[in-house]
Structures are given as C-alpha cells and as structure tokens.
Amino acid sequence: MFDRFAEVLLNRPIEGSYTWRIPADWPPGNLEGHLVQLPLRGQSERGIIVRTHQQAMATPTMDLERLLFAAAPLVNSEQIELANWMAESYLCAPGQALFKMLPAPWLKAALPVTGDPPPAMRPDHRLNSQQSAAFESIRGHLDLAGSEQGFAQHLLHGITGSGKTEIYIHAIARALQKGHTALYLVPEISLTVQLIDRLQQVFHNRLALMHSGLAKRDRFLNYLRVRTGQASIVVGTRSAVFAPLQRLGIIIVDEEHDTSYKENSTPRYDGRQIAWLRARNFRIPIVFGSATPRIESRYHATSEASVQHSNWHYHRLQHRATGARLAPVRIEQQRNMDIPIGAALLRALENNYRQGQQSLILLNRRGYHPYVVCQTCETIEQCPHCAVSLNLHRNQRLVCHYCGYSRAWTGVCHCERRQPLRSLGSGTQKLEEYLLHLYPDLRLERLDTDVSHKKGYTNDAIHRLINGDLDVLIGTQMIAKGLDAPEITLVGVLQADATLGVPDFRATERCFSLLTQVAGRSGRGSMAGSVIMECQNPSDPILNLAARQDYEHFYEQEIQLRREAVWPPFCRLLRLLYRHPSADQALQDAEDLAHTLQSLVQHLPTERQSQITLLGPVSAPIEKLHQQYRYHLIIKTSQISLARHILRQGLARQTAKTKSILEIDFDPVDML
C-alpha cells in the first residue's frame, strides 16, 4: 500500500505549500479543502489541504496530527484557485489569502441537516419605468448565466431613495428561479436592519448573513450552511465576497463607492475586485450600485472603450421611487467654534422637535473635544505612539483613536511651566450633552464606534428610529450609510468641510459622497425634508455641488483634474509603505527599494519606461502609528502587470537586508 501525502497551505507569509504524510488510519478519498492540525518546528499549527498525491518524497516527511473538522471540507476548489490568483496579484502568500476566506472554525459545530429550502416568494413591489429598464437589462445577462454572454458589468447609478434595493431583490428572485444562488455585498451590516427584514420577508431562510459582528459560532454555522448548499443567498460585508456559493448566478455590490470594501491587512484585497473576478469566472452579471459612484466606476461604465471591450452597462435612476423630491440644502457658516451647533440648525432642530418630526445630525468626530492645547506653549497634546492628537472623552480620559492609548485628563500641560490646557472643538459626545442640556426630554441616541460595538446597540437604535421612538439620531459617518427612515425631515451636518484639507487626491470625492449620501436621508417619506450644512467656508465649490446634489458637474470637474494629474482611472496605483521604530531605518529601507526599482525601470526598453512612474519615498501624511515611523513610495503605472513584475524583482534583491516591515497595497484607497 502506498503512502498518501498532502500539500498544505499555512497562514504564514511563505510561498507555496508544504508536504506532510496523511496517517494511514485517516478516511480514504480526496481530502482537498480540509482543515488539519500539523507539526511545525516543535509546535502544532493549522493548515488547509490543497492537494493529495502518492508521490514518494525524497526526504522524510512528518505525519499530519489531526483532521480538525472531519464532517466536510471547509474550502472548495474555486476558493483555492482564487487564493492562488490573490497570491499572484497582491504579492502575498497563498495561505494568507486562503485563510482570509475562512471564518474562525467552531469545531464543535455539526454539519447542517440537508433539506429542501422553501420556495422563494415573488417580490410584491412593482418596479417603475426606470427600475424596469435597468432590471430587464440585468435579467438579459442573468438568463445567460454560465454562457459566454453571461458576464456583464452593470453600474446602477440612482439618487438616494430611487429604489435600487427593489431592483436587487427582483434580480435575486430571478436568479433563484433559474436555479442559481446570489451574493449581496454591503459596506456596513449594522445599518441594514430594514434590508435584512425585507430580504427575509421575500426569501425566508434561504438567507445567510456573513459579517464580523456575528458571534463566532453563528458566523461559522452560516458559513457551513453556504458551503453545504443550505443557503442560496449570502448577504454580508467585505469578507463575504469569498462565500463558497454553488451555482452562483449574480453578484450585487451595494454602495460600491464605500472605502470599507478595501481590506487594510495582508493581503490588502479590494472586495469589489474579487467580486468582479468571481463574476467573470462564473460568467454571470455583477451589479454595482450607488448614488455617488466612484470616479473610476463612472468613467469605465460610460467611456466608449470600456463599454465596447469590458461589457459595461450604465443605468441612471433620476427620481425617487416614492415620488418624493430631494430635500433642499442650505449652507451656513460656522461662526462660533466654542459651541457644537450653530443657531440656524439649532432653530430648525427645535422646530422639528416641537412638530414631532425626526432629525438626523452628522458630526464626523468621535469623543468630546478633538483637540487639547496648552495655553502657553500652544502645543497640541499628542499620542506618544502616534503622530496624531489625543481626543478628550467624556470620561475625562485623553484617547488616541488610532492605537487606543489613553491616559487620565489632568488639565495641565507637560511643558516646564505646567500651564492649563484648553480643550477645543466638538465631538459627538459634546453634541449629545449639549442638546440634552437644552432639551432634557429629547429622545436622542448617539451612534459612533464608541457605542456601536455593544451587542444589539445599533439595531436597537435603528429600530427605535424607524418605529418613531426617537426624536434625534446623531452620529459619525456610519449613519450616512443605507439608512431609510421615512419620518426624518431634517438632516444637519456639522463641520461639513473638515475633510477637504486631507492630503489625499480622493479627499474631495469622499467629502462630496458623504454629504450627498447623508443629505439623501431627509424627506424620503410623505413629508418634505430639508438639510442644513455648517462649514467654515460656505463658498467652497465642492460643498456647493454637494448641496445641489449635482453629481454630473462634480464628476466632470473631478475627472478633468485626474486626467491632468494622471490619477486613477488614468493609471493604476501601487503603494509601498515601510514602517519601523526607527525613522532613519524606515527611510533607509524605502530609499533602497526606490533605488532598486528605478534601476530596474531604466533597464526596460525605452517605450516601456514611460509606463511606470516612481514617486518618493517620503514620510507618510501620518508619519508615526503604533510606535512605528512610516515612509512610503507610490508607483503610477499604465501596465499593472509590468509594475508587479518589476516590484517582484526588486523585492527579491531587497528582502535579505530589509529590517522594516513592508506593506504592499495595490490600488490603495487611503494614502494617509
């Protein structure tokens, strides 16, 4: 009898797989995709079998220790192929990519009992003419799923409240009718209470939720339901893009402009890119939806070359499904920085409160005071581990919102004179306290990351808002995502222009998108709404475009700037960031790589040298985080495969002598 061997991928930054022998008493058959425990350098570690064979090994091979979940393989062949693609595309280890797809295993879980799922109900909402036109186009490709004509990219560009969700539901129902499954991605699961209720109303228990907010056991059980075919619709955040759905028929990426689709740890994948790849591989339609599409998405969906060669289809929804009009927006100058809310917005809020109507206030700053300054030396209190200011919270602690460092508030500076500190600015905690001081009976809730992590807190707040049990909801940018509360008739935005000065070429796009999205929460029901934005500079053109919710002019302005400066979509970006406790070491390693890459580019044929531009290295805008100094260089390229090849060559020459940690980020969405 021949020995059997297993090629196993580990969750480590190592290329390729390692080989172990399969114990003779293990079950026969193919073990590909199984999670195993194995010996490695005197310790036990977990790995995933990606191939088995009976080829004799030249060197002695150790036995695998244990089959951790014997009931079924946890990953399938498509996921293994996808991990290899990610390793090649993002320059990471395939094991790191494969383990990204797998939720933490709950080894006590039992395999779900197989049974016939209930029939899906037909959506009961009729589509209007604009919705129907978009749906029919999507259905045309959905009905061809799996064929050469099945793959298509649809950009559903609809104003807030235009009924994009109903189009998604009709498309999912059609996919199920044709015997397929569906993947529905959202950027923020906590504010999709209404969406989940609506999907469950139509599709019953065919639905599986996949997101990090679930308990470990529930998340793994939902994954098993998908893996074994018990769930035919997956709704989830970024990592749900890897859901092992069988007979996938359609992929929906809602709020496709949202930056949370980008992973910020190795491998730094973009969920939208993975979704596109899976749609292409399955030969099925993919739908990207937003009221404020990414500049890149809009360009590709409407440029002649992309439409002809990449099978893009652009759908514009210009009216709200209910017939309601977009709320008018007024811009007010913020004159007194010592109080959290201006007089005009406060009057409107009070009037709404007296009339029994609901209001939503966006303030994109957590904490109580965002800055604390010495009155004598004028030094801003900074985190000792990061190059960012400390925020004063209501519990009288100074907190770093990046690394979590905190210390007690003493009220005096650490300078020689030990002078008093002055707290400046307003965060959501101060706004909450201020409003409740003025209106003690106000039914108010605050939603930001300081409270939303509490189990059930966000769902409870959203349900109370929808049921009319709240007068005011205040919060950070999370409240601008997907919230559909028909009784909100006033939206206020504080410090609306605060992010326009961020040193990132996407800063204006983010600001415009956030303001347009949050303005769209007002007046979605039978009552007319209004929006008031407070800012420092009322004449800013971006604010005025957002006030008019004029995406077309914003896009034309922004695309021209990017064309002139050669930013995406007119190039691809690659960010290489070195970090080290020593600033000199981080800079030295970044400079060494830059020199190596520049040398490699200069040895390319002349016509190809222009396809790669190196910028930097320079200090990152946030120079220090988590006690590590950060230096980055940016590669602009019109040929990403060439840039990847050059980088791989450069890293092969650098790895042995590099002391810093290197972060490789293809198509970064954050340049800070």
Side-chain angles (χ1 to χ4, degrees):
M1 182 176 178
F2 294 101
D3 285 337
R4 289 192 300 162
F5 298 91
E7 302 292 329
V8 181
L9 290 180
L10 307 176
N11 191 13
R12 285 176 171 239
I14 52 178
E15 293 187 12
S17 59
Y18 279 48
T19 303
W20 278 265
R21 186 168 56 196
I22 299 173
D25 58 350
W26 280 28
N30 187 11
L31 294 174
E32 179 184 298
H34 275 275
L35 184 69
V36 295
Q37 182 175 298
L38 50 87
L40 183 68
R41 297 172 184 169
Q43 295 183 332
S44 289
E45 189 150 341
R46 290 181 176 182
I48 297 174
I49 297 176
V50 294
R51 190 172 75 92
T52 60
H53 59 82
Q54 292 182 330
Q55 298 172 7
M57 305 302 296
T59 57
T61 306
M62 299 181 71
D63 281 2
L64 294 170
E65 293 178 343
R66 191 155 65 102
L67 200 57
L68 290 176
F69 192 78
L74 294 184
V75 299
N76 58 30
S77 58
E78 187 227 346
Q79 290 171 298
I80 294 171
E81 291 175 10
L82 186 55
N84 289 326
W85 180 89
M86 291 174 65
E88 174 68 22
S89 298
Y90 300 126
L91 301 188
C92 66
Q96 291 176 303
L98 192 57
F99 272 87
K100 279 280 187 187
M101 306 177 192
L102 187 65
W106 185 263
L107 299 180
K108 299 177 182 179
L111 208 59
V113 177
T114 302
D116 294 328
M121 294 173 61
R122 290 182 178 273
D124 54 4
H125 288 198
R126 294 180 62 85
L127 301 180
N128 61 31
S129 58
Q130 285 190 134
Q131 291 172 313
S132 294
F135 169 66
E136 290 301 327
S137 177
I138 296 166
R139 184 172 72 170
H141 294 104
L142 208 160
D143 288 349
L144 297 171
S147 71
E148 291 296 333
Q149 295 77 37
F151 172 65
Q153 303 177 79
H154 294 264
L155 179 58
L156 194 57
H157 181 186
I159 65 170
T160 53
S162 58
K164 295 183 288 294
T165 301
E166 284 304 319
I167 297 175
Y168 302 152
I169 290 174
H170 277 70
I172 292 171
R174 182 63 177 176
L176 267 58
Q177 289 171 13
K178 302 292 287 186
H180 294 291
T181 60
L183 175 59
Y184 191 153
L185 298 177
V186 294
E188 175 68 57
I189 203 73
S190 60
L191 293 182
T192 56
V193 176
Q194 298 151 293
L195 170 65
I196 302 303
D197 289 346
R198 176 84 178 109
L199 291 172
Q200 288 176 335
Q201 174 191 352
V202 178
F203 301 113
H204 305 294
N205 64 353
R206 286 175 172 242
L207 205 67
L209 299 181
M210 296 181 65
H211 58 90
S212 59
L214 294 172
K216 178 180 175 181
R217 175 182 178 275
D218 294 337
R219 193 176 182 190
F220 186 62
L221 286 174
N222 279 355
Y223 181 89
L224 286 181
R225 288 182 60 224
V226 176
R227 179 71 182 88
T228 56
Q230 292 298 292
S232 48
I233 305 167
V234 167
V235 179
T237 49
R238 180 181 59 241
S239 61
V241 74
F242 300 115
L245 285 160
Q246 305 167 25
R247 289 185 53 78
L248 190 56
I250 190 168
I251 299 176
I252 294 162
V253 183
D254 196 16
E255 308 291 0
E256 69 89 33
H257 64 276
D258 202 283
T259 57
S260 61
Y261 283 119
K262 188 71 160 66
E263 173 64 57
N264 52 23
S265 63
T266 303
R268 290 173 168 76
Y269 68 90
D270 191 317
R272 295 161 294 203
Q273 189 175 46
I274 301 295
W276 170 86
L277 178 69
R278 294 192 72 189
R280 190 192 67 178
N281 290 346
F282 277 94
R283 294 182 290 189
I284 60 174
I286 179 169
V287 182
F288 298 96
S290 177
T292 54
R294 288 181 299 164
I295 297 298
E296 295 95 321
S297 299
R298 171 61 189 270
Y299 176 79
H300 290 309
T302 55
S303 68
E304 186 176 345
S306 295
V307 171
Q308 289 180 352
H309 299 106
S310 300
N311 206 9
W312 272 99
H313 302 265
Y314 179 66
H315 311 286
R316 192 71 165 98
L317 306 180
Q318 296 179 298
H319 305 287
R320 283 184 161 173
T322 61
R325 294 186 176 184
L326 291 175
V329 180
R330 189 164 92 243
I331 298 177
E332 295 283 341
Q333 187 168 20
Q334 189 176 359
R335 299 184 182 278
N336 187 346
M337 298 298 291
D338 291 328
I339 59 174
I341 185 171
L345 179 52
L346 190 61
R347 283 195 301 270
L349 182 68
E350 181 177 351
N351 185 55
N352 238 33
Y353 173 46
R354 301 302 181 201
Q355 293 183 10
Q357 298 177 20
Q358 293 179 314
S359 304
L360 182 147
I361 308 295
L362 170 69
L363 173 54
N364 205 19
R365 288 189 184 276
R366 293 163 49 202
Y368 198 87
H369 290 295
Y371 304 105
V372 175
V373 184
C374 177
Q375 296 186 28
T376 301
C377 70
E378 298 184 348
T379 300
I380 295 177
E381 290 287 287
Q382 284 202 325
C383 173
H385 308 309
C386 307
V388 297
S389 61
L390 291 171
N391 290 252
L392 180 61
H393 280 235
R394 190 159 49 196
N395 62 0
Q396 296 298 294
R397 295 194 69 82
L398 292 170
V399 180
C400 175
H401 288 171
Y402 283 86
C403 73
Y405 167 86
S406 70
R407 69 167 183 255
W409 159 257
T410 62
V412 296
C413 183
H414 287 78
C415 64
E416 293 182 0
R417 297 186 181 182
R418 304 285 291 174
Q419 292 297 306
L421 291 168
R422 183 186 177 196
S423 50
L424 300 175
S426 300
T428 50
Q429 291 179 351
K430 183 178 179 181
L431 175 63
E432 176 186 33
E433 183 180 280
Y434 184 78
L435 292 176
L436 289 175
H437 173 73
L438 292 176
Y439 312 107
D441 296 329
L442 189 69
R443 297 175 301 173
L444 180 149
E445 283 289 355
R446 169 171 59 91
L447 270 184
D448 54 34
T449 53
D450 290 322
V451 294
S452 63
H453 66 278
K454 300 175 183 177
K455 187 175 181 179
Y457 186 96
T458 301
N459 278 2
D460 179 66
I462 298 303
H463 275 300
R464 290 178 62 203
L465 181 72
I466 295 168
N467 294 335
D469 297 328
L470 279 185
D471 300 312
V472 179
L473 178 67
I474 66 173
T476 52
Q477 62 182 352
M478 62 186 298
I479 66 173
K481 300 179 182 181
L483 185 60
D484 186 8
E487 303 306 311
I488 290 178
T489 56
L490 173 67
V491 165
V493 183
L494 305 177
Q495 303 172 29
D497 52 356
T499 60
L500 286 174
V502 173
D504 188 327
F505 76 94
R506 288 192 176 93
T508 54
E509 181 182 8
R510 287 201 190 102
C511 181
F512 177 87
S513 177
L514 178 63
L515 297 180
T516 303
Q517 292 282 344
V518 75
R521 304 308 116 196
S522 180
R524 296 167 76 100
S526 58
M527 293 182 289
S530 63
V531 181
I532 297 176
M533 296 181 182
E534 291 187 4
C535 64
Q536 290 290 302
N537 180 16
S539 63
D540 186 276
I542 301 300
L543 293 188
N544 282 274
L545 286 170
R548 298 199 301 269
Q549 301 184 56
D550 188 352
Y551 179 90
E552 299 304 324
H553 280 91
F554 170 75
Y555 170 77
E556 292 299 333
Q557 175 180 302
E558 187 69 14
I559 201 70
Q560 183 60 31
L561 291 172
R562 295 201 188 180
R563 182 181 284 111
E564 293 171 358
V566 193
W567 287 114
F570 302 103
C571 72
R572 295 279 298 275
L573 295 182
L574 215 177
R575 187 190 193 204
L576 307 169
L577 186 143
Y578 279 99
R579 49 187 175 89
H580 193 275
S582 165
D584 291 340
Q585 184 64 59
L587 177 59
Q588 181 64 56
D589 289 335
E591 287 178 338
D592 287 347
L593 180 60
H595 177 76
T596 300
L597 295 177
Q598 193 65 59
S599 176
L600 289 168
V601 171
Q602 289 172 354
H603 283 83
L604 290 172
T606 304
E607 66 275 11
R608 305 208 73 184
Q609 290 183 22
S610 62
Q611 295 175 345
I612 294 181
T613 301
L614 297 178
L615 304 176
V618 295
S619 172
I622 301 179
E623 183 181 10
K624 183 183 179 185
L625 283 177
H626 302 278
Q627 294 187 313
Q628 293 185 320
Y629 290 90
R630 310 161 77 241
Y631 284 83
H632 65 174
L633 55 149
I634 307 296
I635 299 177
K636 286 184 175 182
T637 181
S638 58
Q639 292 292 330
I640 194 67
S641 58
L642 176 61
R644 188 181 291 114
H645 175 69
I646 291 294
L647 177 57
R648 188 180 284 109
Q649 286 185 306
L651 293 176
R653 300 184 184 186
Q654 293 294 114
T655 303
K657 54 185 178 181
T658 298
K659 297 180 180 178
S660 303
I661 295 173
L662 172 62
E663 297 179 1
I664 301 174
D665 193 357
F666 285 85
D667 303 306
V669 298
D670 182 354
M671 307 288 277
L672 297 182

